[in-house]
Structure formats: C-alpha cells, structure tokens
Amino acid sequence: MPTYTAPTRDTRFIVNEVLELAGYGNLPGFEMVSPDVTDAVINEGGKFCAEVLAPLNLPGDQEGCTRHPDGSVTTPKGFKEAFDQFREAGWGTLSAPEEFGGQGLPHVLGMVMEEFISSSNQAFGMYPGLTNGAVSALIAKGSPEQKEKYLPKMISNEWTGTMNLTEPHCGTDLGMIRTRAEPQADGSYAITGTKIFISAGEHDLSENIIHLVLAKTPGAPDSTKGISLFVVPKFLVNDDGSLGERNGVMCGSIEHKMGIHANATCVLNYDGAKGWLVGEENKGLAAMFIMMNAARLGVGIQGLSMAEVSYQNAVTYALDRRQGRALTGPADPQAQADPIFVHPDVRRMLMDAKAFTEGMRMLCIWGALLVDLSHKAQTEEERAEADLMISLLTPVIKGYGTDKGYEVATNMQQVFGGHGYIEEWGMSQFVRDARIAQIYEGTNGVQAMDLCGRKLAQGGGAAIQAYFKAIGEDIAAAKGDEILGPLAEALEKALGQQQAATMWFMQNAMANPNHLGAGAHHYMHIMGIVSLGWMWLRMSKVAQAALAAGTEDKAFYEAKLTTARYYMDRFLPDAGALRRKLETGSDSMMALGAEAFATAA
Ligand SMILES: Cc1cc2nc3c(=O)[nH]c(=O)nc-3n(C[C@H](O)[C@H](O)[C@H](O)COP(=O)(O)OP(=O)(O)OC[C@H]3O[C@@H](n4cnc5c(N)ncnc54)[C@H](O)[C@@H]3O)c2cc1C
C-alpha cells in the first residue's frame, strides 16, 4: 500500500522564507497571515490529506464509481464520509471571498492545499476542484441574484459544481457546440443537448450539483462567438434557498477509463433543463475561460502532486530493495546486496524527480501569489503586472508541469522494477492518474499554442519581455557570488536559448504559421525548464543566506543548494537541444501527404 506524507517543511520554506507571505500584510486577506497562521494551515491541511484522503486512494481506484439504473451515481466506499469531514473542516473555503462565506485567505494557501489533496487522492480532489472553477466563473460573471443563490452553498461545499464544455463531436474546437438554449417566457432558457466527459457530473457527495454549461441561443453565430454560458442546477433552487424540483439533466452513463476511477466522468443528457444565462449572450467562452484559467493552474498542480507522491514511495522502495552492488564497491558488505539507492541510474531518476517537484512547487506557489496580487496588489500597475505574468505562465504550469509530472511518475514506477507494474504497489495508479492531466482543461498541445500563438504576442510582447527582464535581474544580482554565480551563469545560457527561440518565432512564424505550430511544444518545454531554473536560483539565494546565518537545519538548506546544482547540470542543457529542434521549422514535419502515412502491407 503506497504512503503519503505532505511535504510541509518544503512548503513552509517556499511560503514563509522565499515568498515571505507575511510581508504582504498590507493587502486585503493577507492581514491575518503570520507564519504561525500559514504553518497551522499547512500542517493541519497536510495531516488531513495524509490521514483521511490518502488511505482511500487505492481502494477508490479499485472500486470506482457506480451508476445505478435511475441515473444516480455512488462514489467508492468512504468518499462520502471523507467529503463530509472535508466540508465540516472548511478546507474548501480557505481562499474563497468572505462575503460569500469563505475565509478570504490568500490563494497561495488554497493552492498549497490543492497540492496535498491531489497527491493524496486526485480523484477526490476533483470534486471540490471543479467546484472552485465554477465558483470563480460565477464570481466574475454571475448576476448579484445568481451569486447570492449559488455561491455560499458552493463555497461551503454543500453543493458542488461542474464545467460542461465537451460534446461527442467537439472538444478542442468549441465553436462547433450543438447544445441549444431556447429562451422561455419567464427569463430562463430550456437547455437541450448531450455533454460528455463531465467530471463530477453526478455523485452522492453533495445535495445539489450546479452545472455551468456552454450552449447556443437561436440564431447565434456558428463559431466560438456564438457560445453562451448557463447555470443549470441539478435541483432547482427555490427563492428561500430550499431545493425544489429535479431539473431535466440526467447522467446517461459513466466512462470506464484509464485512471481517476473514483471520479465520476459522466455523459450528461440535458432535456429541456431550466438554465439561466451567466454574463452576456454570446460571451460565454470568455466567462468559461475565467473558470478554465483557475482550473488550468489546478491541473498543473496535479502534475506536481503525482510527481511528489510517486517520488516519496520510490525513495522508500529504493532504500529498502536490495539488488547488486555499488559500482564503487559494496556499500553494505555485511548484507548480501546493497540497496538499489546506490546505483547512479536509480539516483538519476530520484534526483530528476526531486529537482522537478521542488522547483515546480515553487513555481506553482509563486503563481498562486501572482493570482492574489493580480486582484489585491495596491496599485493598478502592480495588479496589471501580476496578471500579465500569471497569464503567460499558466500554459507553462499546466502543459510543462503535467508532461513532466507524468514522466516523473513513470520513472518512479521504473524504480520499482517489475513490482511497479503490479497494481497493489500503487505506482501503476499514479501513472494512470497522472496521464489525464496532460489531456483535460485543453490538451498540452493546445496549451503550447496558447503560449506561443497568444501569450507571447500579448501586449506587443510585454509579458515575455517582463519575464526576461525579471530573470535577467536575478541572474545579474547572483553573478560573481561564489555559490550562486555558477548557478546564475548556467541559467543565463538557458535563458539565451529561450530568447533565441523567441526571436526565431518572430522572424519565421508570420511567413509560415506551421513553423509556430511545429515548435510550440518545444518552446513550452524550454520555458518550463528556464522557469524552474529561475525558481531554483531564487530558492538557492534563501538557502545560502540561511546557511550563512548559521541555521540549525543545515541539512535542509545544503540539500537545496545541491539539488539546485543538479537541476542546472541536468535540466538546463535540454533547452539548447529543444531550441535546435524548434529551429528546424515545419518543413520535414508537414511534407508528407496522408497517403504516405498508410501502412503498406
Ligand atoms: C477523464 C476526463 C475528464 C474530463 N472532464 C471534463 C469536464 O469536466 N468538462 C468538460 O467539458 N470536458 C472534460 N473532458 C474533456 C477534455 O477536456 C477533452 O477531452 C479535451 O479538451 C480534448 O478534446 P477531445 O477529446 O475532443 O480531443 P480533440 O479536440 O479531438 O483533440 C485530439 C488531438 O488533436 C489535437 N488538436 C485538436 N485541435 C488542435 C489544434 N487546433 N491545434 C493543435 N492540436 C490540436 C489535440 O491536442 C489532441 O492531441 C474530460 C476528458 C476526460 C478524458
């Protein structure tokens, strides 16, 4: 049975020491954030996830969800009780606005909790996770009545939320949506159509489910410009807040899928269901993007989460399992064999995992701080700067974070040898669960195109220029320092590769847009590599200062500096290879016709 311990020490290091969250006390929601408060949330949240959610992960995978003939769905044994505990402890309310019953704490703490939840039980985490996305869309675009009616109960997790975009014939290309919304005399709409792959679409965890649904009104343009967003509750809500009639939305089936078995992935049939327009007609995609941006960061965290939990189990196994001898001579001559931990190839996999997860955690938590600052920083200029940076980084956190998260999970399975392939060890589940994060919330191919096709050009290149400038300043400040200098110089070279790749796109992609499409995945990975390198430089600076100040936790900070060196040695050189691939453009990639792909017998 796999185990999980929330990485609270590392999280406290990032939150309290690197980002110095308590230093933002002048911003709304941050007043009550002292290191004592953040430590209490981090430690108690970690304990809840490790003790309540993690033990349900493997059995939940084995049992899965069950759909009954009446269309109702039950989650695996123990999920309902755990969700009740989650709700009663208020874990879902951490960073939600106080005016709707939330605790109003920084998004940073909500994000930390998302990592712990997802590591301990990704399928469970998706029930409150999708609710958070729906809450963000309603906060941004809902009418005052809609906010009052739905938000308090969604934030308290008495009700949960879903997002309904996908239909059988359209996933990425939402302009083709066929679900219809017919205006009714009472101001509501009758929603009819079929949505597929709807996570948490039906279940027994909450008394009501609030679906946010994309649909088209009569005569709407036949493209993404004709999409509107509707709120469609499973049970209609009376004016006094009590639950009324069952609405015309039913779960037709649940998918049998590769992973996240304990999360119900539903086909939802809407048959004249009563819905209400959220925001303006034909502006639904913009509203849905608010939800998706929040959700994309949450999915990036899933990459980190799966890497972390699979890494923890691989470390335990590598220290315990004995096979062969160390290349440099027996490490434990008394025993018949050494632990596999002594083999450089095993260590390579473990160090890759450690360097990725710790760097990625820093990027995600800093990303969450940027979200906070984009809403709450004191000046309009600071808010705009934070917004620009997080909007640039979101596809990288989602796309690079989940590609690497999956890669780490498979490498950690590899550490187990054949035992990693056997279900009872749990490593197979981590790999299967990690895989979906590369696909949903916009596939990683779509993230790469969002980064290269939209975000690089955003504000005339203002976002990417601000990013280059900020890294450049940190590199300049570190150069010349005995420990930080070599790290900064390595990062500078990788940054140069990213700048050259950016320039290549500027010079070549206009003439042939396929060049952009052909290199977008590589660019997203270059930027992921550089971004984590930057995070390692920032963490190293704090570690070095702690060591210079004579910290008692020497081993922790020394490990940070060593892991930073490993990261610079082993991750950054890939930026150069990826840039060279990117600069070959699309010619050989797009040259063959469809007939050349057919297998000749
Ligand atoms: C377990 C699970 C849970 C899900 N949960 C939800 C949910 O809660 N709500 C919801 O609405 N949906 C959900 N989805 C749907 C998911 O978001 C879509 O599957 C995903 O967006 C991809 O759409 P598609 O499957 O139709 O693939 P397609 O759009 O058909 O894409 C197929 C391939 O083509 C590529 N491609 C397509 N268009 C382009 C392009 N323009 N440029 C480059 N490459 C392109 C894609 O990257 C992909 O590799 C879920 C899916 C699964 C499997």
Side-chain angles (χ1 to χ4, degrees):
M1 179 92 164
T3 58
Y4 174 67
T5 306
T8 50
R9 174 66 182 99
D10 200 45
T11 305
R12 291 197 308 272
F13 166 68
I14 294 168
V15 171
N16 295 333
E17 299 173 54
V18 186
L19 296 176
E20 296 181 295
L21 204 64
Y24 292 88
N26 54 348
L27 304 183
F30 286 71
E31 311 91 347
M32 59 279 219
V33 177
S34 63
D36 285 350
V37 170
T38 56
D39 289 0
V41 172
I42 293 168
N43 295 341
E44 287 306 309
K47 197 163 156 231
F48 176 83
C49 293
E51 291 177 1
V52 179
L53 304 184
L56 296 176
N57 196 37
L58 189 63
D61 177 62
Q62 287 159 351
E63 183 184 336
C65 293
T66 311
R67 179 185 174 276
H68 304 283
D70 64 355
S72 64
V73 172
T74 40
T75 50
K77 196 161 168 282
F79 268 55
K80 183 152 175 43
E81 292 73 18
F83 197 74
D84 288 345
Q85 275 182 265
F86 178 86
R87 179 173 45 234
E88 279 154 22
W91 287 118
T93 67
L94 279 182
S95 49
E98 283 172 292
E99 60 176 311
F100 301 115
Q103 298 183 49
L105 287 166
H107 194 60
V108 164
L109 294 176
M111 193 67 114
V112 162
M113 192 62 188
E114 277 191 42
E115 181 203 323
F116 298 166
I117 294 171
S118 220
S119 277
S120 53
N121 198 322
Q122 181 173 331
F124 178 96
M126 290 171 67
Y127 294 100
L130 281 149
T131 308
N132 288 342
V135 163
S136 321
L138 283 172
I139 288 175
K141 297 288 171 184
S143 66
E145 297 74 36
Q146 288 169 345
K147 289 181 186 177
E148 195 187 318
K149 192 172 227 177
Y150 299 112
L151 286 176
K153 296 234 169 179
M154 291 173 80
I155 286 171
S156 67
N157 284 139
E158 285 162 271
W159 300 348
T160 56
T162 68
M163 50 193 283
N164 290 235
L165 293 77
T166 310
E167 298 184 5
H169 64 288
C170 78
T172 302
D173 189 353
L174 294 169
M176 297 197 290
I177 274 175
R178 286 184 195 144
T179 298
R180 297 189 319 276
E182 297 282 344
Q184 304 296 296
D186 64 358
S188 70
Y189 289 76
I191 312 287
T192 303
T194 298
K195 295 286 178 181
I196 64 165
F197 296 163
I198 305 307
S199 299
E202 179 59 54
H203 56 79
D204 56 352
L205 301 182
S206 61
E207 59 186 22
N208 203 2
I209 303 177
I210 310 304
H211 304 291
L212 288 189
V213 184
L214 290 185
K216 286 186 175 170
T217 52
D222 194 16
S223 69
T224 50
K225 294 199 172 77
I227 299 174
S228 304
L229 181 65
F230 297 88
V231 56
V232 186
K234 171 178 165 185
F235 287 101
L236 298 178
V237 181
N238 298 320
D239 288 341
D240 64 359
S242 61
L243 295 187
E245 272 172 57
R246 179 76 163 84
N247 206 351
V249 46
M250 295 301 284
C251 169
S253 62
I254 55 176
E255 305 293 348
H256 299 279
K257 55 193 193 291
M258 178 174 171
I260 50 165
H261 292 158
N263 194 273
T265 308
C266 302
V267 172
L268 290 185
N269 295 319
Y270 289 84
D271 186 9
K274 246 183 191 310
W276 288 267
L277 185 66
V278 177
E280 287 176 56
E281 199 172 333
N282 296 337
K283 298 270 170 65
L285 203 62
M288 197 52 116
F289 260 108
I290 292 167
M291 180 159 159
M292 285 176 64
N293 276 334
R296 281 175 179 177
L297 289 178
V299 174
I301 295 267
Q302 291 178 352
L304 162 65
S305 299
M306 285 300 107
E308 170 67 34
V309 68
S310 58
Y311 162 73
Q312 287 186 14
N313 284 279
V315 170
T316 308
Y317 190 81
L319 291 168
D320 184 55
R321 175 77 171 170
R322 288 172 182 270
Q323 294 289 299
R325 287 296 188 191
L327 294 174
T328 48
D332 186 0
Q334 309 306 321
Q336 209 181 352
D338 288 335
I340 58 171
F341 186 73
V342 302
H343 303 308
D345 190 56
V346 171
R347 205 66 80 81
R348 166 186 67 79
M349 293 188 275
L350 295 177
M351 281 304 290
D352 277 359
K354 184 173 170 59
F356 167 73
T357 43
E358 293 177 20
M360 184 69 191
R361 177 170 300 117
M362 170 72 200
L363 183 65
C364 289
I365 298 180
W366 179 55
L369 178 60
L370 289 172
V371 173
D372 279 319
L373 295 176
S374 72
H375 295 298
K376 296 178 175 170
Q378 271 173 337
T379 66
E380 177 61 42
E381 197 187 342
E382 287 168 310
R383 288 195 292 275
E385 267 174 29
D387 190 50
L388 203 63
M389 186 66 83
I390 189 57
S391 134
L392 177 74
L393 285 170
T394 296
V396 179
I397 291 176
K398 197 282 183 183
Y400 178 73
T402 60
D403 278 355
K404 287 296 290 183
Y406 177 71
E407 185 187 310
V408 168
T410 58
N411 279 337
M412 296 305 94
Q413 182 186 38
Q414 188 76 10
V415 169
F416 278 69
H419 301 275
Y421 203 68
I422 305 303
E423 288 293 339
E424 72 202 40
W425 284 96
M427 300 308 283
S428 159
Q429 184 190 357
F430 298 142
V431 173
R432 289 186 285 102
D433 286 0
R435 185 68 183 88
I436 186 58
Q438 297 172 286
I439 297 171
Y440 57 22
E441 286 308 334
T443 61
N444 285 358
V446 169
Q447 303 303 319
M449 284 306 289
D450 178 41
L451 173 66
C452 299
R454 290 180 57 229
K455 302 287 169 67
L456 288 185
Q458 210 172 17
I464 193 70
Q465 289 310 330
Y467 169 90
F468 288 150
K469 183 164 173 276
I471 303 185
E473 283 169 3
D474 282 352
I475 290 173
K479 267 188 171 174
D481 181 275
E482 194 187 338
I483 292 170
L484 302 180
L487 304 177
E489 278 159 27
L491 180 59
E492 189 173 38
K493 280 193 198 125
L495 179 65
Q497 305 289 359
Q498 188 185 349
Q499 286 165 327
T502 314
M503 186 60 75
W504 192 88
F505 272 160
M506 282 170 65
Q507 289 165 346
N508 295 280
M510 289 287 261
N512 181 355
N514 273 345
H515 288 332
L516 190 84
H521 169 87
H522 302 318
Y523 189 91
M524 182 174 76
H525 276 244
I526 296 172
M527 186 156 166
I529 290 167
V530 171
S531 300
L532 262 60
W534 183 20
M535 298 302 110
W536 271 113
L537 185 63
R538 289 172 66 178
M539 290 192 289
S540 300
K541 188 173 162 208
V542 177
Q544 189 203 26
L547 287 166
T551 171
E552 284 174 12
D553 201 357
K554 221 168 147 219
F556 176 84
Y557 297 102
E558 282 177 349
K560 280 283 167 215
L561 292 180
T562 306
T563 311
R565 211 172 61 234
Y566 179 87
Y567 186 89
M568 304 304 181
D569 287 348
R570 291 276 176 160
F571 281 63
L572 293 183
D574 288 345
L578 289 168
R579 172 199 158 192
R580 283 194 291 282
K581 283 202 219 186
L582 179 151
E583 289 181 356
T584 64
S586 61
D587 293 348
S588 59
M589 188 181 285
M590 302 302 283
L592 295 178
E595 67 290 348
F597 287 81
T599 307

